[in-house]
Amino acid sequence: MGVYLASVTDKNVLGFSDPAHVPKTALFAFHPLVFLYFILATFIVPYPLYRLIAKRFKWEINHKTLARHWSDSLLGISYGLILFVFGDYTRVFSWITIVAFYPSLFGYALIAELPFAKTSLPNIRNWPKAMWILFIVALGIILAFAGIHIYMASQLELPFVIYYVCSLLIPGFFLVSAILLIKEANTHAFSSKLRLQDQEEQFQPMKVASLHIHHWQIFYVLAFYTRFAHPVSQVASGIVLACYMQGICACKLNHKNINCHVMNFALTEPIFYFFVCRWL
């Protein structure tokens, strides 16, 4: 079932996609009016709304200057455009997604404010028991939705399901690349073999790099897979978009602060700054 917010009825000189007639297996599509609805509902409105409510209830949020807000807004719209085009939101974005989005946004915020939830993935060895329970429940929900979406993909014309599942190799490639880059940054094993560094530089003190994946990056990637015009998939898209957006509202897209220097491995587009390596 699809609920479309716009349809091309007049002359389509610029060749925009018609939401009602985009093929279910299309890799990309774009219609400006639907994108306007999408970015308003998932970024422009919730961004200031979340910040205001967070300040009112004293939720944990990063301080941002006006310049930082402007930078994050431009980056957020850029991320949203890439997601909209390649996530097939021209065809599948609907009021169901919006209805699922806002409760999930503030629900996730309330969960994140729980004392045991105020930790991060790099600190996984020190997680309390309650955090492990929360993580296992969340992982179970994600896997359940993943199974449903793979089933939906299998109902479409072959070889769509093969492309759909194998596309997971893309974030897998980013992860492996980030791990290899971290190893190289810490040991210089590869560059030393190629003699890219002179002897003096090799003996200089080095900072240690480690992998730090933010939750908004994980849910941003998942939002590319909720691309079916079915209520279950549209609810799932609202949830993952909300979890992604919560991180954008509360934190910063290209995180830097005085106490820690952050190096972003911008491995490739369209997933900007997919993995963040924190210099300790």
Side-chain angles (χ1 to χ4, degrees):
M1 183 183 75
V3 185
Y4 305 105
L5 295 180
S7 182
V8 179
T9 55
D10 298 325
K11 290 183 179 181
N12 191 12
V13 178
L14 298 179
F16 294 130
S17 304
D18 185 347
H21 297 95
V22 173
K24 295 180 180 180
T25 58
L27 174 61
F28 55 85
F30 179 78
H31 189 277
L33 182 57
V34 185
F35 175 69
L36 177 61
Y37 295 151
F38 174 83
I39 207 68
L40 279 171
T42 63
F43 184 81
I44 295 176
V45 172
Y47 184 86
L49 180 63
Y50 183 96
R51 300 283 299 187
L52 289 172
I53 293 176
K55 287 183 179 180
R56 172 67 178 81
F57 292 99
K58 298 181 179 179
W59 294 345
E60 184 177 0
I61 54 174
N62 285 357
H63 171 72
K64 296 186 183 184
T65 63
L66 183 60
R68 180 76 257 182
H69 282 299
W70 176 253
S71 175
D72 281 356
S73 296
L74 292 180
L75 287 172
I77 292 173
S78 300
Y79 298 164
L81 176 60
I82 294 167
L83 177 60
F84 180 82
V85 171
F86 291 97
D88 204 15
Y89 283 90
T90 293
R91 184 175 66 88
V92 303
F93 182 66
S94 79
W95 62 268
I96 298 175
T97 303
I98 300 173
V99 169
F101 176 86
Y102 284 91
S104 300
L105 175 65
F106 295 106
Y108 189 97
L110 292 174
I111 293 174
E113 286 300 307
L114 296 174
F116 63 82
K118 293 186 177 182
T119 184
S120 61
L121 192 60
N123 196 35
I124 190 170
R125 294 182 180 180
N126 300 318
W127 279 3
K129 183 178 179 180
M131 182 60 195
W132 275 108
I133 295 173
L134 177 62
F135 173 77
I136 292 171
V137 171
L139 182 61
I141 294 172
I142 291 172
L143 291 176
F145 273 115
I148 293 171
H149 280 75
I150 292 174
Y151 171 77
M152 291 179 185
S154 69
Q155 301 303 299
L156 301 179
E157 182 181 358
L158 286 173
F160 178 79
V161 66
I162 298 174
Y163 294 143
Y164 184 79
V165 175
C166 289
S167 64
L168 292 169
L169 293 173
I170 298 173
F173 166 77
F174 293 148
L175 177 60
V176 172
S177 299
I179 293 172
L180 292 176
L181 285 170
I182 290 168
K183 183 177 180 181
E184 169 61 20
N186 289 334
T187 65
H188 294 287
F190 181 72
S191 58
S192 61
K193 288 181 181 179
L194 296 179
R195 298 181 180 179
L196 297 178
Q197 296 175 305
D198 51 14
Q199 191 172 1
E200 290 184 2
E201 187 180 356
Q202 290 182 6
F203 288 100
Q204 289 180 355
M206 295 183 299
K207 295 178 180 180
V208 178
S210 63
L211 184 63
H212 185 181
I213 305 174
H214 294 282
H215 74 273
W216 67 263
Q217 296 163 326
I218 296 172
F219 287 106
Y220 179 74
V221 172
L222 293 178
F224 283 92
Y225 293 89
T226 56
R227 54 189 309 114
F228 303 103
H230 186 282
V232 173
S233 185
Q234 291 169 332
V235 168
S237 69
I239 294 172
V240 294
L241 285 169
C243 296
Y244 151 68
M245 193 60 207
Q246 189 276 335
I248 302 305
C249 294
C251 305
K252 301 176 182 178
L253 279 167
N254 186 11
H255 182 72
K256 277 189 177 181
N257 57 41
I258 297 175
N259 297 322
C260 86
H261 301 283
V262 175
M263 172 180 164
N264 291 301
F265 284 110
L267 299 174
T268 186
E269 315 287 350
I271 304 177
F272 304 95
Y273 311 115
F274 186 77
F275 291 108
V276 179
C277 290
R278 174 170 295 171
W279 296 90
L280 302 177

